[in-house]
Structures are given as structure tokens and as C-alpha cells.
Amino acid sequence: SRFLIWKMGFEGFKERPILGWGPENYNLVFSKYYDPALYTQEPWFDRSHMIFFDWMINAGVLGILSYLGLFVAAGSLLWKSWKEAKALGNFSANESFRDTAIISVLLFVYLFQNIFVFDQLATYLSFFGVLGYLHFRATERLKQEAKPASEGGELWKGLAFGGVSIGMLFVFYTGIWKPLQANLSLLDGLRIQGTTKDLSAANDAFEKALSYHTFGNSEIREHMSQFVSSLLGSNAPADLKERAFKRITGELQAGIKEAPFDPRAPLFLGTVYSQAGLF
């Protein structure tokens, strides 16, 4: 399956080679250049499972060059700081070389393993942690030699800190708290549907999850469409069926407008219509 989706990824890259398709849009390439030989595999791939093709799809040739540039810059800083430390005798050359060699291998192995998988939080945060350490290692001496900041500089630092703090509160609310609440509501709906069988309460939970209007709406719509499909075939009250049907079809139609090249929303919408007998 890896070789097949890499081939599809290359076709997508050829279509938009400069800036790519945008982040998180491999599924559009997967849908457009789908190879039927994948019929025994999972139905949806949202990554090419190869970091080079992922960045070529996300941001084109400019994106992959920028990504590889991180490794070139990191390697350059790493060995440059070792040479400077060795020349100044800040620490033993053997220890410095050992640390430098270990981090060099670490970066190489990390890049190599990304040929076959894609980043998760554990690897991505570790990668940027290493980059942060290399920046510190390369600039520590420069900071010690820098002139003390003026009082005006301290004032601007305080103002900048305040502005960034306000911005981070906004980011926390929109990017963390709201998606968390939406996710918890979605999980409530799935739990209620699977345990208590209280279909009205489950529908309320799905609607509450959608009310947060987060980047997870497409996932919520998918789960709710499956719920509504089963609801329509149940003995639930007619008014509940009608309410749930109207909500999910409206949501899926909105999803089609948001991502017109993504086949998932039309597929789920067609399934709901079919279950309702609206062929």
C-alpha cells in the first residue's frame, strides 16, 4: 500500500508542484488519484506515510526545500558550535565531538524513519526540542557577550509579553478549550448511543458538539451521520428522526461547500438520504 499511495502522491505533486495542495489535504490527492488496487486496504489515507511526499503535497517544492532546510541549518549550527568550542577550549574536544555525533545521528535517523511513517506529537515535539537545544548551544556564548538591555528595551519586553499573553489566551480558547469541549460532547454521544440507548440524549450530545464550530466538525458530522442512519431505521419517535435528519443533512451540505473536492461529505450525505428512502 505504501508504494501505491506514494505513486498517487507523486501524481498530486505534479499537478500542483510549487505551493502544493495546502496542509492536511492529502486526502484530496488520495481521492482524485485513487488506485483501485487499494481495495483491500483501509478506505481513507490522510497521509502518504512518507515525509517527503507529505510536504510536497502540503506545500510543494518550496515546502519540501524549507523542511529539508531545517536539517541543513541544524547540522550547520551543530558542527559550527563544536568547532568554535573546540577552538576556545570551552570543554573537552572528545566530549564535544561525542555529543555532536550523537545528535547528528539522531537527526539522521529521525529523518530516515519519516520515510515510512508520519509525525505524531511525541516525535514532532521531540524534534523541535532538539532544534531548540541546538539554537541554545549555538547562541549561548553570544548572549553572554551581548550588551545589557536598556530600560526602554525592558519596557518593550513587558508590552510584548502582555500582548503575547493576550494572544495566547485567545489561541487557548479557540484552539484548545473549544475543540476539547466539542470532543467531549462527541464522546458523550457515542457513549450514550452504545450504552444507554437514549437516542434523544445522544442526538443532543452530537448537536452540542457541532455547536462549538471547531476544526473537528467534519469528524463530528461523520459520526453523527452514522448515528442518524441507524436512527432512521429504528423505532425512535418521528419528530426526533425529522430533527436529526434535518440537522445532519444541513451540516453535510455545509461540509460540501467547505471542501468541494473532498468526497467524504457527499458520501455520508448520500448514505443518510438512502437510509431515508430519498434516492
Side-chain angles (χ1 to χ4, degrees):
S1 62
R2 292 289 195 276
F3 293 114
L4 290 173
I5 60 178
W6 292 350
K7 179 182 177 182
M8 291 154 53
F10 185 64
E11 293 299 318
F13 167 70
K14 289 194 297 183
E15 181 177 345
R16 300 186 180 186
I18 307 301
L19 294 176
W21 293 69
E24 303 295 332
N25 277 334
Y26 178 79
N27 61 313
L28 303 184
V29 174
F30 177 81
S31 302
K32 184 170 185 178
Y33 294 101
Y34 181 77
D35 189 331
L38 285 168
Y39 77 98
T40 60
Q41 303 293 324
E42 59 183 285
W44 306 105
F45 279 84
D46 58 0
R47 298 285 191 281
S48 66
H49 289 259
M50 184 181 191
I51 195 66
F52 301 109
F53 281 126
D54 279 341
W55 275 109
M56 287 159 65
I57 295 300
N58 286 346
V61 66
L62 298 179
I64 186 62
L65 289 177
S66 299
Y67 177 75
L68 294 176
L70 289 175
F71 291 87
V72 173
S76 175
L77 279 178
L78 183 62
W79 288 97
K80 181 181 179 182
S81 64
W82 168 72
K83 290 180 180 178
E84 292 177 351
K86 181 181 178 182
L88 296 173
N90 282 8
F91 39 75
S92 69
N94 289 335
E95 182 180 357
S96 175
F97 179 80
R98 181 199 64 190
D99 295 347
T100 303
I102 288 174
I103 296 174
S104 298
V105 172
L106 182 66
L107 289 170
F108 173 79
V109 172
Y110 167 75
L111 181 62
F112 181 79
Q113 63 101 35
N114 274 354
I115 295 175
F116 307 101
V117 295
F118 51 84
D119 272 306
Q120 312 251 350
L121 279 179
T123 56
Y124 216 38
L125 291 176
S126 299
F127 174 54
F128 283 101
V130 170
L131 294 184
Y133 166 71
L134 294 181
H135 173 77
F136 164 78
R137 176 171 163 167
T139 59
E140 181 182 18
R141 188 164 49 255
L142 297 177
K143 290 180 179 179
Q144 293 173 351
E145 297 172 356
K147 297 180 180 179
S150 63
E151 292 184 4
E154 292 297 329
L155 174 62
W156 282 111
K157 284 183 180 180
L159 293 174
F161 178 79
V164 169
S165 298
I166 294 172
M168 287 302 297
L169 286 174
F170 175 76
V171 169
F172 177 83
Y173 175 73
T174 58
I176 298 178
W177 189 86
K178 285 180 64 177
L180 173 62
Q181 299 306 310
N183 196 39
L184 292 175
S185 298
L186 171 62
L187 291 174
D188 278 342
L190 295 173
R191 177 183 55 79
I192 295 170
Q193 179 187 1
T195 55
T196 66
K197 308 297 183 181
D198 187 341
L199 299 178
S200 179
N203 186 70
D204 289 342
F206 286 120
E207 290 186 347
K208 182 179 179 182
L210 287 168
S211 69
Y212 289 101
H213 301 292
T214 68
F215 55 78
N217 268 15
S218 60
E219 181 81 8
I220 299 169
R221 290 165 181 159
E222 177 178 345
H223 286 289
M224 188 175 180
S225 69
Q226 296 169 355
F227 164 75
V228 174
S229 293
S230 64
L231 176 69
L232 293 174
S234 71
N235 296 323
D239 60 335
L240 175 60
K241 290 183 179 181
E242 182 179 3
R243 170 185 155 194
F245 174 79
K246 288 182 177 179
R247 179 62 186 267
I248 192 58
T249 53
E251 289 288 341
L252 291 172
Q253 288 167 356
I256 293 172
K257 292 180 180 179
E258 293 169 5
F261 299 110
D262 191 339
R264 292 172 74 97
L267 175 62
F268 299 136
L269 182 59
T271 302
V272 174
Y273 281 147
S274 178
Q275 188 65 30
L278 299 176
F279 303 111

